[in-house]
Amino acid sequence: MFLKIEYVGGHVSLHTEINFETEICEWLVAHGGYQLGKIGAQSLDFDAARGLDTAELFAFIGATQGDAWEQVVKQYGNDRDAAQKGFADRLAKQLDERGTVDVLRHGVVDRGPTIQLAYFKPAHGLTPALVERYDKNRLTVTRQLPYEQGSSRTVDVCLFVNGIPVATAELKNPITGQHVEHAKVQYRADRDPRNVTLARRAVVHFAVDPDEVAMTTRLEGPSTRFLPFNRGTEMGAGNPPNPHGHRTSYLWEEVWSRDAWLDLLARFVHVEKPAKGSKAQPLVIFPRYHQWDAVRALEAAARTEGPGHNYLVQHSAGSGKSNTIAWLAHRLSSLHDASDKKVFDKVVVITDRKVLDQQLQDTIYQFEHAHGVVEKIDVDSAQLADALAGQQARIVITTLQKFPVVLQKGVDLPGRNYAVIVDEAHSSQTGDKAPKALKLVLSSGSSEDELSFAEAEDADFAMEPTNPAEDALVKAAAARGRQPNLSFFAFTATPKGRTLELFGRRNADDHHEPFHLYSMRQAIAEGFILDTLAHYVTYEMYFHLEKAIRDDPEYD
């Protein structure tokens, strides 16, 4: 049956992998909001053939959906054993066909009734029944899970939501001569990528040691690709020292904690489906740490501060800004403050990325299964004005050229609040300077001359004429300045000094800094972009090399 692990407090010293494992699991039960900790060899609850903890599954259903379950039992001739077996088979089949993420979000129909497999936290507390159901989710952690039928193989840690495995982890201890790279090798070499639990249940797999974390959403044997899941330290890779424990304790103390973990499964993870006719497998997108951290930090700040504020997000090329923007847009569109009042009436995304509009629509549809939440403005400014004033679309995607309409609506509709997400990455990646008009908007209406001079001074380039759309935006922004019902969230890879001064935030040393940073140095160290200076040779060095070769008779 169940083995409940009691947390005894204090720091467990690491001598073996088991101690590391014990420390993590005990923390989750004592402080992380998990109902139970189990040890695989001492629990008979896990069905390896179906990839389900049936004890937790039916405990959850019984506690949350008694009436619906009685209807299911009735469909099985009032035979409760047959109903449990039949539903477990049905659920396993649906998980195989639809995937864990979709089943958790939308439930399973069995002979008529729909049984929900999880209840996620509502955006507000106005419906107490939804909050009560959310509180009844059963999160459990199993150590040494015997995941393979007819085998003694186990995985170090497995996280469950209402009996469904959602994540696994292999833990290593450098004191015993093993570290995160050995955990990766274990997944690649010793974990069957066709196994039910590993391949068709768990959403993500973590390789963990006390210093670093890596993760993957697909096991492919030797070809399995892991991505870093580290916080970064000194603007580079890895994790900073933790005076209170392990460098990687953020994984179980923050990411895996009950509310954060359920939120991640509900509103971050999504599935990219292959094009019609393709034989490729669907790709599960799991956020990297900086994406998860940035979105949650921005959401928390906007909830507390309300509309009328600016946020600079400095994320390097290779950071995955498109997904970060999609996640942020969705969350801001349903954001409520502490008094359950909606913070923003509309979210406007300004971008030149042609792929972003479809990506936003596909991603958000997975979260809500509702059409019309996202509207792309592809006709004229009148279409944008209607979308901003209308009630249906919560997220509007447009381009810089139509941006003056957004400013005008901010004046015309002072009772409505707008979140404006500005994607500067496109222009910076193609080598063009970021639009002066955009920086002017984010500078609280600084004069055109002042901002243009600052840009020229920072970038050392000759002044160039702007296009009419930018001129219109400059005049509109300069005339109106910052508006209390508009919040700006600007994404850029390389903000200039003046840009940081105008809309960065002051740190403890009274210097301006971005609200959130994923540096180019970290992106290079983690292998997401190339270091263009790695093989850089100056003209002077090249001249000396060339001259030495020509003057040396040893060289032909």
Side-chain angles (χ1 to χ4, degrees), residues 287-343:
R288 286 148 62 189
Y289 180 83
H290 71 271
Q291 294 175 304
W292 176 80
D293 186 57
V295 171
R296 284 171 56 88
L298 289 164
E299 179 189 33
R303 178 186 292 112
T304 302
E305 297 175 356
H309 295 270
N310 295 336
Y311 306 88
L312 174 62
V313 183
Q314 184 181 342
H315 281 193
S316 167
S319 67
K321 279 189 287 291
S322 291
N323 279 324
T324 306
I325 289 172
W327 287 318
L328 178 62
H330 175 251
R331 299 172 83 92
L332 294 178
S333 72
S334 59
L335 182 63
H336 288 69
D337 63 17
S339 60
D340 286 328
K341 180 182 178 182
K342 206 166 189 295
V343 178

Side-chain angles (χ1 to χ4, degrees), residues 201-374:
R201 300 292 180 268
V203 174
V204 61
H205 308 278
F206 293 96
V208 187
D209 70 20
D211 298 319
E212 294 192 34
V213 181
M215 59 91 173
T216 184
T217 59
R218 179 185 295 173
L219 297 182
E220 298 180 287
S223 301
T224 300
R225 183 190 179 206
F226 282 88
L227 300 180
F229 195 77
N230 296 316
R231 297 171 61 192
T233 180
E234 297 181 351
M235 295 179 61
N239 289 301
N242 177 7
H244 306 294
H246 304 300
R247 290 174 184 254
T248 54
S249 63
Y250 64 88
L251 179 64
W252 55 93
E253 294 180 4
E254 297 177 22
V255 181
W256 289 354
S257 65
R258 179 189 175 87
D259 288 341
W261 187 238
L262 286 171
D263 175 76
L264 199 154
L265 292 170
R267 299 200 290 169
F268 275 100
V269 178
H270 67 275
V271 181
E272 287 187 355
K273 296 181 179 179
K276 289 185 177 180
S278 173
K279 295 183 179 179
Q281 294 294 316
L283 179 62
V284 176
I285 304 298
F286 192 91
R288 286 148 62 189
Y289 180 83
H290 71 271
Q291 294 175 304
W292 176 80
D293 186 57
V295 171
R296 284 171 56 88
L298 289 164
E299 179 189 33
R303 178 186 292 112
T304 302
E305 297 175 356
H309 295 270
N310 295 336
Y311 306 88
L312 174 62
V313 183
Q314 184 181 342
H315 281 193
S316 167
S319 67
K321 279 189 287 291
S322 291
N323 279 324
T324 306
I325 289 172
W327 287 318
L328 178 62
H330 175 251
R331 299 172 83 92
L332 294 178
S333 72
S334 59
L335 182 63
H336 288 69
D337 63 17
S339 60
D340 286 328
K341 180 182 178 182
K342 206 166 189 295
V343 178
F344 300 111
D345 297 287
K346 297 279 183 178
V347 177
V348 183
V349 181
I350 299 174
T351 182
D352 288 326
R353 298 183 195 227
K354 295 179 180 179
V355 69
L356 188 56
D357 63 292
Q358 189 60 50
Q359 183 173 355
L360 267 169
Q361 294 182 60
D362 291 345
T363 299
I364 291 170
Y365 182 73
Q366 290 187 39
F367 296 145
E368 301 197 18
H369 260 253
H371 292 287
V373 175
V374 180

Side-chain angles (χ1 to χ4, degrees), residues 11-282:
H11 179 75
V12 180
S13 61
L14 271 177
H15 296 295
T16 68
E17 196 176 289
I18 296 298
N19 288 352
F20 189 29
E21 180 185 301
T22 301
E23 181 179 1
I24 292 172
C25 295
E26 288 183 347
W27 194 96
L28 289 173
V29 173
H31 306 289
Y34 285 59
Q35 268 80 3
L36 293 170
K38 304 182 182 183
I39 297 178
Q42 300 178 21
S43 172
L44 302 178
D45 298 334
F46 186 69
D47 181 345
R50 294 188 179 102
L52 296 170
D53 183 328
T54 52
E56 295 302 316
L57 170 65
F58 291 113
F60 166 74
I61 294 174
T64 59
Q65 302 159 87
D67 292 342
W69 180 247
E70 288 304 318
Q71 294 178 41
V72 173
V73 172
K74 187 176 180 180
Q75 297 300 317
Y76 282 90
N78 291 317
D79 186 334
R80 295 188 177 277
D81 290 339
Q84 287 198 359
K85 180 181 182 302
F87 181 79
D89 289 339
R90 171 68 175 165
L91 173 57
K93 184 177 181 181
Q94 287 285 284
L95 287 165
D96 290 344
E97 294 176 353
R98 294 164 46 198
T100 296
V101 173
D102 191 66
V103 167
L104 284 174
R105 289 175 182 163
H106 306 296
V108 168
V109 177
D110 188 20
R111 301 193 178 188
T114 298
I115 299 297
Q116 299 298 329
L117 278 307
Y119 288 103
F120 294 111
K121 193 171 187 177
H124 52 75
L126 298 176
T127 309
L130 295 180
V131 177
E132 183 181 352
R133 288 178 177 177
Y134 168 76
D135 290 339
K136 290 183 178 179
N137 286 304
R138 298 182 65 83
L139 273 66
T140 57
V141 54
T142 298
R143 299 168 49 191
Q144 298 300 318
L145 178 75
Y147 65 90
E148 196 168 65
Q149 190 177 23
S151 169
S152 60
R153 290 177 180 269
T154 61
V155 64
D156 287 345
V157 173
C158 187
L159 307 183
F160 291 81
V161 173
N162 302 322
I164 299 176
V166 292
T168 72
E170 291 291 351
L171 313 178
K172 298 300 172 187
N173 176 15
I175 294 178
T176 61
Q178 292 195 317
H179 46 76
V180 69
E181 293 301 324
H182 292 88
K184 294 179 186 178
V185 170
Q186 191 169 14
Y187 272 119
R188 289 176 177 135
D190 296 333
R191 299 291 177 258
D192 184 358
R194 299 164 299 179
N195 175 264
V196 171
T197 299
L198 301 182
R200 302 200 294 274
R201 300 292 180 268
V203 174
V204 61
H205 308 278
F206 293 96
V208 187
D209 70 20
D211 298 319
E212 294 192 34
V213 181
M215 59 91 173
T216 184
T217 59
R218 179 185 295 173
L219 297 182
E220 298 180 287
S223 301
T224 300
R225 183 190 179 206
F226 282 88
L227 300 180
F229 195 77
N230 296 316
R231 297 171 61 192
T233 180
E234 297 181 351
M235 295 179 61
N239 289 301
N242 177 7
H244 306 294
H246 304 300
R247 290 174 184 254
T248 54
S249 63
Y250 64 88
L251 179 64
W252 55 93
E253 294 180 4
E254 297 177 22
V255 181
W256 289 354
S257 65
R258 179 189 175 87
D259 288 341
W261 187 238
L262 286 171
D263 175 76
L264 199 154
L265 292 170
R267 299 200 290 169
F268 275 100
V269 178
H270 67 275
V271 181
E272 287 187 355
K273 296 181 179 179
K276 289 185 177 180
S278 173
K279 295 183 179 179
Q281 294 294 316

Side-chain angles (χ1 to χ4, degrees), residues 348-352 375-377 384 396-403 406:
V348 183
V349 181
I350 299 174
T351 182
D352 288 326
E375 182 172 349
K376 177 187 177 184
I377 305 304
L384 174 58
V396 178
I397 304 174
T398 187
T399 61
L400 177 65
Q401 285 69 29
K402 295 183 178 66
F403 187 67
V406 179

